[in-house]
Structures are given as C-alpha cells and as structure tokens.
Amino acid sequence: MYPPLESIMPFLIRLARAMSSLRIAFDYFSVNLQRREFDTDEDLKRIEGVERAMNASFPTGFPDLMVFERETPFKVAESGSFAGLAEEYGLGEPVAEYPEGWRETLKLYRYCVPERRAST
C-alpha cells in the first residue's frame, strides 16, 4: 500500500531474476487507491479514516491480483481478507465485537502471497 504502483512490479521482476524460487507476502487494500475508486462512499471514508489514524497515505491497492500473474513471473499462491484470517485462526468472536466500520475495513484489508517456484 505504501510504495507507488510503478515501483512494485519492477521490484518483483528484479527479485524473480535474482532468485529462482521465492515466496513473498504483503498486505494491501482490495480497492483502486490510485484512482480512489470505491464501491461505496462508506468504503472511501473507512480507508481515509485509516490513513488519518496512521498518518499515512496509501498510493497502491489491488482490486485484481491477477496483475501479478500477468506482469511478473509470480503466481498467487494464497490470498484472503484479514477478516477471513481471524475466522481461520479462531479469532472470529473478538473481531465480531469490533465496531461495524472496523469489521468492514477488515474485509477490504487483505493479504497476498505470490510465489515463484524453481523450474524442475
């Protein structure tokens, strides 16, 4: 979310050239933050609230993870929402007690694990 989009793909391509096998993970928002295109005004307000709280600006989001498979030698090995991770690791109840706005933000806040496997 922090580096500009134009620096992410070249960085991943350089990594892939340097290592024949690599698995990397990152978190991101699943909306187009470059254009500030959101499904709802509430989602826009949520993300802007997170930015204010963190005193940070998020220039990059990925509404479509297939961009990694189209533009780099990586395949998306895993992805999901942090809300889903909470459920998977038995933290669904505490998350259910969060204010609704935070629960909805956790649906937009996601993780991705691209992977490049060595050729055999």
Side-chain angles (χ1 to χ4, degrees), residues 44-93:
L44 171 63
K45 290 176 188 175
R46 283 186 191 97
I47 300 299
E48 289 179 342
V50 172
E51 288 177 320
R52 278 192 306 277
M54 294 181 69
N55 195 26
S57 176
F58 305 136
T60 305
F62 296 101
D64 178 9
L65 292 178
M66 292 302 102
V67 68
F68 292 97
E69 296 190 11
R70 286 190 303 270
E71 296 184 21
T72 73
F74 290 90
K75 299 290 181 203
V76 175
E78 295 178 41
S79 67
S81 71
F82 279 86
L85 280 179
E87 285 293 325
E88 183 178 340
Y89 288 97
L91 298 172
E93 274 187 45

Side-chain angles (χ1 to χ4, degrees), residues 10-112:
F11 171 73
L12 289 174
I13 291 167
R14 282 192 314 272
L15 277 177
R17 286 183 183 146
M19 298 176 217
S20 62
S21 181
L22 176 67
R23 189 172 170 103
I24 187 168
F26 63 89
D27 57 338
Y28 71 100
F29 281 107
S30 61
V31 292
N32 189 331
L33 293 174
Q34 297 85 16
R35 293 190 184 104
R36 294 290 162 163
E37 293 174 354
F38 294 85
D39 290 338
T40 67
D41 288 339
E42 290 80 18
D43 288 345
L44 171 63
K45 290 176 188 175
R46 283 186 191 97
I47 300 299
E48 289 179 342
V50 172
E51 288 177 320
R52 278 192 306 277
M54 294 181 69
N55 195 26
S57 176
F58 305 136
T60 305
F62 296 101
D64 178 9
L65 292 178
M66 292 302 102
V67 68
F68 292 97
E69 296 190 11
R70 286 190 303 270
E71 296 184 21
T72 73
F74 290 90
K75 299 290 181 203
V76 175
E78 295 178 41
S79 67
S81 71
F82 279 86
L85 280 179
E87 285 293 325
E88 183 178 340
Y89 288 97
L91 298 172
E93 274 187 45
V95 170
E97 295 176 16
Y98 288 4
E100 180 183 355
W102 281 103
R103 289 193 315 268
E104 292 301 313
T105 300
L106 285 178
K107 292 177 185 174
L108 296 172
Y109 187 41
R110 303 180 65 84
Y111 70 94
C112 178

